[in-house]
Amino acid sequence: MIRTFRQHSILPGFGLTMGFTVFYLSLIVLIPLSAVFLKTFTMGWGQFWETVTGARALASYRLSIGASLIAAGINSVLGLLAAWVLVCYEFPGKRIVDALVDLPFALPTAVAGITLTAMFAGNGWVGSWLEPLGIKVAFTWLGVVVALTFIGLPFVVRTVQPVLLELDPEIEEAAATLGASRWQSLRRVVFPELLPALLTGFSLAFARAVGEYGSVIFISGNMPMKTEITPLLIVTKLANYDYAGATALAVAMLGMSFVLLLFINMLQWWSRTRYA
Amino acid sequence: MLMAMIAANNGNSRNGTGGLAEPPWLRLVLISSTLLFLGLFLVLPLIVVFTEAFKKGVEVYIESVREPDAAAAIRLTLTAAAIAVPLNLIFGVAAAWAIAKFQFPGKSFLVTLIDLPFSVSPVISGLIFVLLFGLQGWLGPWLSDHDIKIIFAVPGIVLATIFVTFPFVARELIPLMQSQGSDEEEAARTLGAGGWQTLWRVTLPNVKWGLLYGVILCNARAMGEFGAVSVVSGHIRGYTNTIPLHAEILYNEYNSTAAFAMASLLTILTLVTIALKAFIDRKSRSEVRAVSKRMLTEG
């Protein structure tokens, strides 16, 4: 049966490796994940709807999605700038800076959480500068944006960087020869090439931010209706043994990020066909 | 001096040719605003972790790391990583072999499924195991009848760790092995090598840097995971606290120095991880190059 399922190859081990892959994937990922959906089916539709549209839940979506969009937006602008500077210019310490961009990928989220809180609290290194200006970051929604910007930082840089490196300088030279100003050639020639990668980076940063928990809960202050993100609300429900409520929110969150990512994928597809 | 260094564009950079480059002042502005942003978000946090950890001196630091609950947290973190990383390594090699060396329908769907744990919120990753094994979960009654504890115990922590680090090795190896093709393996087979021999002598040496890359990222995440582990742990001091969870408890008890001492351990791990990653980045680029060069010259 396997013979007909796959094309013939002289290499051995297809049955073994494929069997193990499917077995382990099902055991660790697929069966546990399907538990979430099975659990929601045990709730009535009315109960589900009531949970996911409760006032506290709605406020948490607004914060989670809003702050994630802002953070991914900040990362798109500053990440594009950082990628540009790291690829196109030379400056002392560039290799260290380049390696450090991966820090938010590798730094445990709880460490990021307590550290950013210490930095941005009223008596912190940065907070003590901002507080006199009337800007409170820690324990407000701004703190959530700061944490989500931190954890999403590498995505745009790392998706745009390779495209920028691959970009043929001759295209820009051609544009310059044809009389385009530097700005024109950037806007009309370079930017369209980067746009799909930029959108990919944006959506990765956004998707990561929506589900983020560890780095946010320390800096946000966790006030219900004000600075409570959806993942925290799920944890709160779980701590009260409200499994059904927690699961309903989880499904709502998965559904919303799925729809948003679908939208961004369509946008990406559009930008590819338009500029390709 | 700085201007001169910035202006001296060497061959490595893309916009070397005179007419296309931005004026030096603009470069300086762009570079310094990037460095300001990255300095604020990447360098300052590192400084803060270590200053806070050593605020009360080296002795207090050593004391907070050696205290029994902290030591238990370190042991649990090492245990969870020691189980999760090898399992996901074996899975990664098996999955990459099946996917990269054979053609079969539904391949890209399988790759998407393998990536699933990356797109799930850490909190949901913990939640799924509570739904399965928790007291009110599907298997909860059966487990409590047989006196097996998974949630709020070590097995739950290990399971959640395996789940969140599941794709790391596989997603490094699959594209690498796909790009290398299977010509060398087929040659080895034709020359009479067995399957395992081919794997050990041909495939693994060809992908060793990619493999190592996947393993160190997998390990970093396994030791640092917070959300998923927090949901299944129950935060029992000295028993189900990993290093990040112990840091959280200490922080919430306003014992900031001890919390940052715990955090500093993870930060050292992170710094080692990204240094290794940068090193392997260079090595693996030569790995891909070496293979494609070999194929060019031999093919």
Side-chain angles (χ1 to χ4, degrees):
Chain A
M1 181 234 148
I2 285 165
R3 274 286 130 96
T4 52
F5 177 65
R6 63 166 166 100
Q7 282 173 17
H8 183 73
S9 161
I10 65 160
L11 295 181
F14 180 75
L16 178 70
T17 54
M18 189 67 185
F20 180 70
T21 301
V22 171
F23 167 75
Y24 189 69
L25 177 71
S26 309
L27 192 72
I28 300 292
V29 178
L30 300 182
I31 296 173
L33 260 183
S34 53
V36 177
F37 293 95
L38 288 174
K39 184 76 187 177
T40 38
F41 290 138
T42 63
M43 296 173 86
W45 175 252
Q47 197 194 349
F48 174 81
W49 190 247
E50 207 174 296
T51 312
V52 299
T53 57
R56 202 168 152 187
L58 288 180
S60 81
Y61 307 147
R62 209 168 41 234
L63 177 65
S64 272
I65 292 179
S68 300
L69 283 175
I70 296 173
I74 294 174
N75 275 323
S76 299
V77 176
L78 294 175
L80 181 64
L81 175 69
W84 179 265
V85 167
L86 286 173
V87 171
C88 300
Y89 304 147
E90 290 301 319
F91 55 92
K94 177 168 139 168
R95 272 192 18 208
I96 295 173
V97 175
D98 190 47
L100 267 182
V101 168
D102 286 322
L103 184 77
F105 275 154
L107 192 72
T109 53
V111 177
I114 63 174
T115 309
L116 290 172
T117 312
M119 271 169 70
F120 285 93
N123 57 0
W125 292 24
V126 182
S128 56
W129 285 84
L130 294 176
E131 207 103 309
L133 305 172
I135 306 169
K136 273 181 79 86
V137 177
F139 317 122
T140 69
W141 67 274
L142 271 177
V144 180
V145 173
V146 165
L148 296 180
T149 306
F150 174 82
I151 56 131
L153 195 148
F155 290 98
V156 172
V157 183
R158 290 296 186 237
T159 47
V160 171
Q161 230 174 358
V163 182
L164 212 48
L165 268 171
E166 291 285 301
L167 209 64
D168 195 347
E170 277 179 26
I171 309 175
E172 284 165 69
E173 279 162 23
T177 325
L178 293 171
S181 70
R182 182 77 186 131
W183 174 243
Q184 271 176 325
S185 100
L186 282 182
R187 203 167 61 90
R188 299 277 186 82
V189 180
V190 177
F191 187 71
E193 289 281 331
L194 297 180
L195 191 60
L198 193 62
L199 284 171
T200 306
F202 178 91
S203 51
L204 289 173
F206 172 77
R208 172 74 204 268
V210 170
E212 178 57 21
Y213 175 71
S215 61
V216 177
I217 56 161
F218 296 98
I219 202 171
S220 69
N222 307 328
M223 278 170 290
M225 306 297 293
K226 285 206 184 96
T227 57
E228 186 178 53
I229 53 168
T230 313
L232 179 72
L233 193 55
I234 294 177
V235 172
T236 311
K237 287 201 184 287
L238 267 181
N240 297 325
Y241 296 98
D242 180 7
Y243 287 12
T247 313
L249 285 177
V251 168
M253 211 171 90
L254 287 174
M256 275 184 290
S257 27
F258 179 74
V259 169
L260 271 159
L261 286 180
L262 203 68
F263 173 73
I264 293 165
N265 272 333
M266 277 162 58
L267 207 69
Q268 225 173 327
W269 174 82
W270 170 82
S271 76
R272 267 209 196 97
T273 48
R274 191 175 157 201
Y275 291 112
Chain B
M1 167 68 181
L2 188 63
M3 283 288 250
M5 268 196 265
I6 291 162
N9 236 328
N10 66 27
N12 284 335
S13 57
R14 254 190 59 249
N15 297 341
T17 37
L20 286 176
E22 283 75 36
W25 67 266
L26 183 58
R27 267 178 209 217
L28 191 66
V29 169
L30 293 178
I31 293 175
S32 32
S33 39
T34 301
L35 290 182
L36 186 72
F37 170 59
L38 297 182
L40 179 68
F41 273 90
L42 302 178
V43 182
L44 196 56
L46 290 177
I47 300 171
V48 168
V49 169
F50 290 104
T51 353
E52 292 283 330
F54 286 101
K55 213 175 205 167
K56 293 182 186 154
V58 180
E59 269 158 48
V60 178
Y61 178 84
I62 293 172
E63 191 57 34
S64 0
V65 175
R66 291 182 54 181
E67 176 257 337
D69 287 345
I74 296 171
R75 266 199 306 278
L76 180 57
T77 295
L78 293 176
T79 311
I83 299 172
V85 176
L87 278 176
N88 287 334
L89 169 65
I90 295 169
F91 163 74
V93 173
W97 182 269
I99 288 167
K101 304 294 178 197
F102 299 94
Q103 292 304 324
F104 56 90
K107 191 190 267 194
S108 59
F109 182 62
L110 184 62
V111 175
T112 312
L113 289 182
I114 290 175
D115 268 348
L116 261 181
F118 277 166
S119 39
V120 172
S121 167
V123 166
I124 298 178
S125 310
L127 169 75
I128 59 179
F129 291 106
V130 175
L131 290 180
L132 276 180
F133 304 116
L135 218 47
Q136 304 169 41
W138 304 99
L139 300 173
W142 186 86
L143 288 172
S144 71
D145 284 349
H146 291 76
D147 217 21
I148 305 169
K149 268 189 86 77
I150 292 182
I151 298 305
F152 302 156
V154 177
I157 292 182
V158 173
L159 270 176
T161 308
I162 295 175
F163 181 91
V164 293
T165 58
F166 180 87
F168 277 100
V169 180
R171 72 146 35 181
E172 285 306 324
L173 285 187
I174 293 168
L176 184 59
M177 277 165 68
Q178 270 175 333
S179 74
Q180 292 182 350
S182 41
D183 293 354
E184 294 192 22
E185 282 84 357
E186 281 164 12
R189 287 287 287 164
T190 322
L191 294 172
W196 290 108
Q197 239 180 333
T198 313
L199 178 71
W200 280 110
R201 299 275 187 82
V202 180
T203 309
L204 291 183
N206 269 345
V207 297
K208 59 177 183 299
W209 293 117
L211 191 81
L212 189 62
Y213 195 101
V215 166
I216 59 161
L217 293 182
C218 183
N219 180 61
R221 181 73 194 268
M223 293 191 170
E225 176 55 26
F226 178 73
V229 170
S230 157
V231 169
V232 297
S233 123
H235 305 273
I236 308 163
R237 267 188 115 122
Y239 178 54
T240 62
N241 269 346
T242 59
I243 301 177
L245 296 177
H246 194 55
E248 180 201 17
I249 290 192
L250 293 169
Y251 187 83
N252 288 340
E253 287 171 349
Y254 300 101
N255 191 350
S256 144
T257 312
F260 276 99
M262 288 283 105
S264 75
L265 294 180
L266 294 169
T267 309
I268 293 168
L269 170 76
T270 305
L271 290 174
V272 172
T273 302
I274 58 176
L276 274 174
K277 184 178 175 292
F279 171 74
I280 295 170
D281 262 340
R282 255 174 297 144
K283 286 284 178 189
S284 68
R285 239 173 270 148
S286 63
E287 184 170 88
V288 174
R289 261 204 306 272
V291 169
S292 49
K293 199 171 142 197
R294 214 157 45 224
M295 284 165 72
L296 276 179
T297 51
E298 287 165 8

